[in-house]
Amino acid sequence: MIRMLRRLLALVLCAAFVLCAAPAALAADTGRDQTASFLAAQTLDPTAGTIYGDWLVFALARTGSAVPEGFFSAYLTRVEKLLAEHNGALRGPVTGTLRLCLALEALGQELTDVGGYDLLAVVKDTGRICRTTVIGPAVSLLILNNAGGNPACEQTYLRHLLDTQLEDGGWALSGTVADPDTTAMALQALSFYPKEAEAAISRGVARLSTLQQPGGGYTAWGASTSESISQVLMALCMLGISPDDARFVKNGRTLLDALLSFRLEDGSFRHLAEGGYDVMATHQAMLALESLRRAEEGLPNIYLLTDPAAVDRGFAGLPGRDPAVAVPGRQGEAPAFSDIAGRAEEQAILALAGRGILEGMGGGRFEPEGLLNRAQFCAMAVRALGLPQASSAGFSDVPEGLWYSAPVNAAAAFGAVEGVGGGRFAPLQPITRQQAAVLVARLAKACGLNVRYSADACRNVLSQFGDWQSCAPWAQEALAFCCDRGILDTGEADLCPGEAVTRAEAARMFFALLDEALLLEN
């Protein structure tokens, strides 16, 4: 009953804001729809358990964006796989799990059973969460208000926020100097407890007003960022305060004016006043613009998750998958190989053999250390993705009638492979790790995976290897993708881009590719 009254009060405050304030700022064209469309176009390969992936899902779910079919399904599948890999406990700070919980709630997922794991138990661990920054208790309150609540936990987190409020009325991520982001997030949580936190809310709002800069924005940790403005806008909307309230207009500029100054032509947002598209800045700006829309239309606030996004769990694979990709299903028991027991690639070899993607070498042996040539790797690729047959690709050394003619031609027609120059393919030449990475990256794109890496991103991934500068320029982006996604074995200090690929390595690569693309579910 108490929770229902709190939610009713929150809705009443929001409605009062709309009916009484009728703010001019909300009537303006905020570009929300363009930003939502921009975000929806970035969604073919959703990640899970990362700050960018989880916030993207939350933003898209709360804005009702027209995401590609299967996007939310793919995200939930990846969440379950991630939890299974780590026995239900994500690596890193507990705030990562809290962020994940918010995204799951926005999709209508019960937190007590996420792939068999109870994530709500983490939210209720008050001792652990109160040892974090202010953000932990604040986000926990947002989660609990959408998960049936827990009075004891809520009182603990509420008391923590009230006790950590600074004398000047704000909150700090660390130290004794209030910052706008942390203050805004604390107020977002306290908005669900207007009676118990009335005085704290009043002081916090006053502090946000004094922290606002002459241009209408905010400075935190030495920089003026769009994210600070977004968080404050969300807090005001949740508290029923108009963003063009006189306390938040400086030199004729409102918070919305300040936020839109960070907006780019395509609808994305900068982090700083100078610069290009920033992922987190765009996610948070989208939530701020959606908060404004909800306030204007009298809808539940951005964190009152009464209208979760619909998820179709029947979708297999990733939304951007090429229709031609058709991974073979299981064909019964995998053959037994006498020479793979205990190897790191054993699971991959058996899984692919059970689908007819690879075969042994006779006599019950797989010969994992045997080398693959370019034709054999093509054949494995064609079987792995079920690529359609094609006419001759015109390679002078791939005549019709040989066993490898069909797979090489199919891979070439699909755009997975090219020749070595002079109209030749060199089918019997051993395939190197960097050649294999390029082929697999092309297939990965067809599976819906994001294989784009900037020059800086490539350097960041590859520079951990002592020999990374020996990688061919044409292979660096593919190598970065394969290393970053765990498709290429990176257990050694060197990358060895020119070394030949073994049969076991190839099995690992194709298994990891299909697993990452969610194509091994059937």
Side-chain angles (χ1 to χ4, degrees):
M1 177 62 73
I2 294 176
R3 173 148 291 87
M4 291 181 63
L5 289 173
R6 285 176 181 157
R7 292 193 173 192
L8 180 60
L9 180 56
L11 289 171
V12 168
L13 284 172
C14 187
F17 165 39
V18 175
L19 295 174
C20 300
L26 295 185
D29 179 13
T30 65
R32 172 201 169 277
D33 291 343
Q34 186 185 18
T35 301
S37 297
F38 176 89
L39 279 180
Q42 314 296 310
T43 63
L44 298 185
D45 182 13
T47 57
T50 68
I51 189 169
Y52 301 115
D54 299 334
W55 274 123
L56 174 61
V57 167
F58 184 84
L60 290 171
R62 297 308 290 144
T63 57
S65 301
V67 298
E69 182 184 7
F71 171 73
F72 290 138
S73 173
Y75 173 76
L76 289 178
T77 300
R78 283 189 163 168
V79 169
E80 292 168 354
K81 291 169 70 69
L82 182 67
L83 292 174
E85 289 171 6
H86 300 292
N87 197 28
L90 298 186
R91 294 177 179 175
V94 69
T95 49
T97 301
L98 299 181
R99 181 185 63 243
L100 176 64
C101 286
L102 273 178
L104 292 173
E105 283 190 324
L107 299 179
Q109 173 68 50
E110 291 290 337
L111 298 182
T112 53
D113 183 9
V114 184
Y117 296 98
D118 182 3
L119 297 187
L120 193 58
V122 178
V123 183
K124 294 178 180 178
D125 188 348
T126 57
R128 181 184 181 189
I129 289 175
C130 285
R131 289 194 296 270
T132 68
T133 63
V134 171
I135 306 303
V139 176
S140 295
L141 286 175
L142 298 177
I143 295 169
L144 289 171
N145 269 276
N146 292 286
N150 183 292
C153 293
E154 291 177 70
Q155 285 301 313
T156 299
Y157 295 140
L158 180 58
R159 176 49 52 192
H160 183 90
L161 292 182
L162 297 179
D163 289 347
T164 54
Q165 188 172 26
L166 302 174
E167 290 186 4
D168 63 8
W171 281 265
L173 192 63
S174 62
T176 58
V177 178
D179 66 81
D181 302 64
T182 307
T183 300
M185 294 189 73
L187 289 174
Q188 290 166 20
L190 293 180
S191 70
F192 284 93
Y193 307 89
K195 182 177 180 180
E196 299 95 320
E198 181 179 4
I201 291 173
S202 178
R203 294 174 59 219
V205 170
R207 183 57 178 148
L208 284 179
S209 176
T210 61
L211 285 172
Q212 192 178 16
Q213 298 297 299
Y218 287 91
T219 297
W221 307 290
S224 297
T225 70
S226 62
E227 291 95 319
S228 295
I229 305 170
S230 295
Q231 289 298 331
V232 174
L233 271 171
M234 291 166 64
L236 295 187
C237 288
M238 294 176 70
L239 291 167
I241 300 173
S242 172
D244 59 359
D245 182 289
R247 292 170 292 180
F248 293 94
V249 179
K250 303 294 161 65
N251 295 320
R253 286 176 59 83
T254 67
L255 283 167
L256 181 58
D257 292 331
L259 178 61
L260 294 181
S261 71
F262 289 83
R263 187 174 178 272
L264 297 169
E265 290 185 1
D266 59 7
S268 64
F269 280 77
R270 304 181 181 95
H271 167 62
L272 301 173
E274 300 295 330
Y277 160 64
D278 182 86
V279 180
M280 183 53 64
T282 305
H283 294 174
Q284 294 199 22
M286 183 70 256
L287 293 176
L289 297 179
E290 175 65 10
S291 293
L292 290 171
R293 182 188 74 86
R294 286 173 173 267
E296 181 181 42
E297 298 180 10
L299 299 173
N301 73 55
I302 198 76
Y303 285 120
L304 195 55
L305 309 179
T306 58
D307 49 347
V311 181
D312 175 15
R313 293 306 301 272
F315 190 93
L318 295 172
R321 185 182 65 191
D322 189 305
V325 173
V327 178
R330 295 186 181 91
Q331 301 176 5
E333 291 294 325
F337 298 120
S338 61
D339 54 352
I340 65 170
R343 292 186 64 96
E345 306 90 354
E346 182 178 6
Q347 178 191 9
I349 293 169
L350 293 177
L352 298 186
R355 294 171 180 265
I357 294 172
L358 53 77
E359 300 172 345
M361 298 298 288
R365 296 177 57 79
F366 181 73
E367 297 186 12
E369 295 302 320
L371 301 183
L372 284 178
N373 58 40
R374 288 165 54 85
Q376 290 169 328
F377 200 82
C378 273
M380 192 179 294
V382 169
R383 290 194 297 267
L385 270 66
L387 302 184
Q389 293 187 352
S391 57
S392 173
F395 296 121
S396 61
D397 53 355
V398 185
E400 294 298 325
L402 297 180
W403 72 264
Y404 52 77
S405 300
V408 169
N409 291 333
F414 197 71
V417 296
E418 299 174 350
V420 296
R424 298 175 59 252
F425 182 73
L428 304 183
Q429 177 180 305
I431 188 167
T432 65
R433 283 164 63 87
Q434 61 185 4
Q435 289 173 341
V438 170
L439 187 154
V440 167
R442 290 170 178 165
L443 295 177
K445 183 178 181 180
C447 291
L449 290 162
N450 179 15
V451 301
R452 294 173 298 175
Y453 281 70
S454 66
D456 287 342
C458 288
R459 190 179 303 109
N460 289 339
V461 174
L462 298 179
S463 60
Q464 62 185 302
F465 303 103
D467 61 347
W468 77 276
Q469 291 182 320
S470 67
C471 300
W474 48 264
Q476 289 189 8
E477 185 175 21
L479 285 166
F481 163 75
C482 288
C483 291
D484 195 35
R485 292 298 188 100
I487 292 172
L488 195 63
D489 183 13
T490 57
E492 301 296 331
D494 289 332
L495 192 54
C496 305
E499 286 193 3
V501 174
T502 67
R503 287 170 53 79
E505 285 180 315
R508 171 198 168 93
M509 293 182 75
F510 284 109
F511 176 81
L513 166 64
L514 299 179
D515 188 49
E516 187 72 6
L518 306 180
L519 291 171
L520 293 176
E521 304 304 310
N522 63 322

